[in-house]
Amino acid sequence: MSDMNSILEPGMLVRHPQQPDWGTGQVQSNIAGRITVNFREVGKVVIDGARVELVPVFDP
């Protein structure tokens, strides 16, 4: 898991760098590098944190 993904906690907002059309997602869980995110446009997705580095969103 990347260093950035390791700090992600439930409630944080993120974007998927290769899927900008998914919109902003909210982290649901981050367990052993498997990050569950509920994206506005596609719903709940489980992401392998070792393969994808999610981008935190700090502005609302």
Side-chain angles (χ1 to χ4, degrees):
M1 179 164 51
S2 76
D3 289 338
M4 186 56 72
N5 283 344
S6 66
I7 69 164
L8 297 177
E9 297 179 353
M12 293 180 76
L13 299 176
V14 295
R15 292 188 192 273
H16 190 297
Q18 287 89 37
Q19 301 292 341
D21 56 318
W22 287 5
T24 302
Q26 184 178 45
V27 175
Q28 304 295 300
S29 67
N30 185 356
I31 301 169
R34 292 176 55 85
I35 306 161
T36 303
V37 182
N38 191 14
F39 285 98
R40 182 179 304 155
E41 301 300 325
V42 294
K44 196 173 285 187
V45 178
V46 178
I47 295 170
D48 180 354
R51 299 181 62 141
V52 176
E53 185 168 340
L54 295 169
V55 178
V57 175
F58 296 106
D59 57 321

